[in-house]
Amino acid sequence: MSLTLLPFLLLLVLTGRKAESLSKSVVILYPPWFSVLKNDRVSLRCEGSGISENSSTLWLHNDTIIPIKIQDYNITAYNMTYSGKYQCQRGQSALSDPVSLEVFPDWLVLQTSKLVYMKGEPMVLRCHSWENKCISKVTFYQNDKGRKFFPHNSNFSISQVNSDDSGDYFCSANIGNRKEKSRVVRITVQDPSPSISLSSRIWYYILFYLVMGILFVVDTGLYFILQREVNGPKKNTRRPLTRWR
């Protein structure tokens, strides 16, 4: 193997992995909340890279095909049967990862875009009422008798979360003369896992293929040296015959 081919092999490997990652479809929720109440409207959009606008879309709900082929799937969550995982496949792209949607028959729900945040990320919580009924005295709670937050509206945000922001959250609000509480949502804040930069990964692959190339060259050299010694001319160890007179 020629060492000059190693960068090209590396480029092919990285390009193939990038193409593979870009070929998977993605389901996007709008609004971006995965917990909703009965009669809420939700829009699911199927996105994919390098796909024409005329490409058909395959939708699945709990592994069952939905008989529509459009990119935007709009639903009204009339009951809990709309809960579950949604996937899509657009054009020739691969099937998307599942996106979960939960429908609750409650007065209030605490909404968040995800349950696991990385340290330093922004977090937005929303106290949402059934059929968008008018609510007042909205309060957010962390760990029940822990911290309380009194926002100016139904949203509460933290610009950069840290480990202290992990915990069980719920909200309360007045709907008319009644005070209602949402279900508890457990949110976890994790430290970002150490990631290797792209340049570091490239040098890792270059070093790997370089070492493999050197070992190949050394092994090939030793092979030809041994072959030359085995097949080379042998010394004549026989004594010359003497003539008897």
Side-chain angles (χ1 to χ4, degrees):
M1 178 187 297
S2 175
L3 296 182
T4 57
L5 294 178
L6 297 180
F8 296 101
L9 293 176
L10 173 60
L11 181 60
L12 289 175
V13 171
L14 295 178
T15 303
R17 291 188 176 182
K18 183 178 180 181
E20 182 181 356
S21 63
L22 291 176
S23 65
K24 182 178 289 189
S25 301
V26 178
V27 177
I28 300 175
L29 282 175
Y30 183 81
W33 321 114
F34 60 86
S35 298
V36 299
L37 296 173
K38 286 179 59 178
N39 298 334
D40 278 350
R41 294 183 178 181
V42 181
S43 177
L44 298 92
R45 185 176 181 85
C46 188
E47 293 283 1
S49 60
I51 300 173
S52 65
E53 291 295 328
N54 298 326
S55 299
S56 62
T57 304
L58 172 69
W59 285 99
L60 295 95
H61 176 220
N62 293 331
D63 299 323
T64 300
I65 296 177
I66 303 172
I68 59 171
K69 295 183 179 181
I70 57 178
Q71 184 178 11
D72 295 310
Y73 177 41
N74 301 312
I75 63 175
T76 300
Y78 294 112
N79 50 53
M80 279 69 72
T81 60
Y82 288 88
S83 296
K85 64 178 184 179
Y86 290 83
Q87 292 174 278
C88 74
Q89 184 176 11
R90 186 157 166 77
Q92 301 300 318
S93 61
L95 187 66
S96 70
D97 293 329
V99 170
S100 296
L101 184 69
E102 294 182 271
V103 183
F104 297 103
D106 299 331
W107 287 98
L108 288 177
V109 64
L110 179 69
Q111 294 179 316
T112 179
S113 59
K114 54 186 178 179
L115 297 177
V116 179
Y117 289 84
M118 293 295 109
K119 186 176 180 180
E121 283 186 326
M123 180 177 71
V124 178
L125 304 179
R126 181 184 184 225
C127 194
H128 172 55
S129 62
W130 178 61
E131 294 188 340
N132 292 313
K133 293 185 179 295
C134 183
I135 58 177
S136 61
K137 296 183 179 179
V138 179
T139 307
F140 290 85
Y141 300 84
Q142 181 190 11
N143 298 328
D144 197 1
K145 297 182 180 181
R147 293 192 293 176
K148 296 182 181 180
F149 309 96
F150 305 94
H152 297 294
N153 51 36
S154 58
N155 291 351
F156 169 71
S157 61
I158 299 176
S159 59
Q160 292 183 329
V161 295
N162 55 49
S163 56
D164 294 334
D165 297 315
S166 293
D168 296 332
Y169 287 82
F170 69 95
C171 67
S172 68
N174 286 355
I175 302 178
N177 295 324
R178 297 190 313 274
K179 185 176 182 179
E180 299 289 344
K181 294 196 306 183
S182 71
R183 301 182 187 221
V184 172
V185 177
R186 175 160 294 181
I187 295 176
T188 304
V189 178
Q190 297 179 346
D191 289 327
S193 58
S195 59
I196 303 175
S197 64
L198 178 60
S199 59
S200 299
R201 283 181 289 176
I202 290 176
W203 280 111
Y204 170 82
Y205 284 112
I206 291 176
L207 181 60
F208 172 79
Y209 285 111
L210 182 61
V211 171
M212 294 300 294
I214 292 174
L215 291 176
F216 177 82
V217 171
V218 172
D219 184 70
T220 304
L222 290 175
Y223 171 80
F224 283 110
I225 291 174
L226 291 175
Q227 285 292 104
R228 187 168 60 247
E229 290 182 357
V230 170
N231 299 327
K234 298 181 180 180
K235 293 182 179 180
N236 189 2
T237 57
R238 295 177 59 185
R239 297 179 59 182
L241 297 176
T242 56
R243 297 180 62 185
W244 294 90
R245 298 192 179 187

